[in-house]
Amino acid sequence: MMPPELENAIYGMLATPVLRTAEKHGVFARLIEGGPAGSEKLAGDLGLDRDTLERMMLLLTALRVLDLGDAGDFRVPAAVRPYLDRREPLFVGGFLEHLAEETSARLGRLDGYLKEGRPAEAAAPFGEVYRDEETMRAFMTAMWDLSYGASTELVTLAGLDGTARLVDVGGATGPFSVAALRAAPRLRAVVFDLPAIRPLAEETAHAHGLADRLEFAGGDFFTDELPAGDCLAFGYILSDWDDETCVELLAKAHRACTAPGRVLIMDRLFADDRTGPPATAAMNLVMHLEMAGRHRTAAEFAALLERAGFTDCEVRRSGGEKHLIVGHKNRR
Ligand SMILES: C[S@@+](CC[C@H](N)C(=O)[O-])C[C@H]1O[C@@H](n2cnc3c(N)ncnc32)[C@H](O)[C@@H]1O
């Protein structure tokens, strides 16, 4: 019999588009908000083709994303629910959309990259991600979905009570800053990101009632210096870039960091022997297709921090996929 691991790998290509399509058409929202339902009822409620819907739901059931009861009713299991519920901070819909629409369109590049390496012109990733207003908005939604839920735990791990000014480098619409400001009432934060992000970032600050404490600074972290603060955060930034660029960015952070101060790297971590976790290995390949970076082990991040002048590196693991690595400047 075929090992289940190989079977999963062979049929895995169906999982992301089926999940994304079901999410897009409100299947999970209907099951979560309206309760368990059979495919006929569900197809009627959502105006979808029953046969197609049932096949998709049977696949999701086999993948254990859905449960199927004896009466033929599908339900979303409790452990899966927060990730598929549009009202929850852990909701992954925007990230799924990114994987299904953007990442999958780039998978065809693998063959060429494998034979000839990644071409030099692929080194400026954000021009492609931000090719128009719609793709930029979609990317920001994906980043929010990927980072906001995780940030609540990361803020606790970081312990921001004694921090005065957080600089969220490449902070996007501020998933980490918003979580940080909610947890630490005396904190002020500045999101530093490309100027095009400003309207979306300001919209978010207003929507969360944080416009008085969350500021946006538009700039380019390759050509501009970073705003000053006693805590500089890099959430899913260093995984976009190669080691030399990371050291350059961290050295900028070291200059901008008032002492005593800290840098927070928040990113996926490979296990020390790089045998997993699977999501990190998958996104390591995605970084190669979409960005110019890779995922790293804790020791690799510590080495980058030391090269940039930070000391006393600490790794604080979360219960999720995004972990915290702290580097200090003039630690007391
Ligand atoms: C992968 S996203 C990470 C977003 C957020 N920090 C998080 O943890 O979800 C990378 C961010 O870096 C920003 N960025 C990319 N190049 C930049 C540059 N040259 N200067 C400033 N920000 C940049 C992007 O606009 C984007 O918001």
Side-chain angles (χ1 to χ4, degrees), residues 30-42:
R30 161 62 188 79
L31 287 176
I32 290 167
E33 288 160 36
S39 57
E40 189 168 351
K41 169 91 176 98
L42 214 51

Side-chain angles (χ1 to χ4, degrees), residues 1 25 71 94 109 128 143 188 222 244 257 266 276 282 297 330:
M1 206 173 104
H25 288 281
R109 295 175 184 177
E128 187 174 39
M143 288 302 107
R188 304 188 78 83
F222 293 124
E244 294 313 307
C257 186
M266 291 169 289
T297 62
N330 294 6

Side-chain angles (χ1 to χ4, degrees), residues 126 130 139-140 143-144 146-147 168-173 175-176 192-194 197 219-222 234-237 240-241 266 291 322:
F126 282 90
Y130 297 160
F139 187 72
M140 286 296 115
M143 288 302 107
W144 184 273
L146 201 56
S147 295
D168 194 355
V169 183
T173 51
F176 181 68
F192 179 88
D193 207 302
L194 295 167
I197 306 299
D220 180 334
F221 52 48
F222 293 124
F234 288 82
Y236 284 147
I237 299 299
D240 289 343
W241 308 103
M266 291 169 289
M291 299 290 161
K322 197 175 192 180

Side-chain angles (χ1 to χ4, degrees), residues 92-135:
V92 293
F95 179 56
L96 259 182
E97 176 184 350
H98 179 80
L99 286 178
E101 311 295 333
E102 294 286 321
T103 309
S104 69
R106 291 180 194 135
L107 278 176
R109 295 175 184 177
L110 269 184
D111 192 60
Y113 281 20
L114 197 56
K115 286 187 283 197
E116 282 146 39
R118 193 169 177 277
E121 65 271 17
F126 282 90
E128 187 174 39
V129 172
Y130 297 160
R131 59 187 178 274
D132 55 41
E133 172 76 21
E134 195 187 334
T135 54

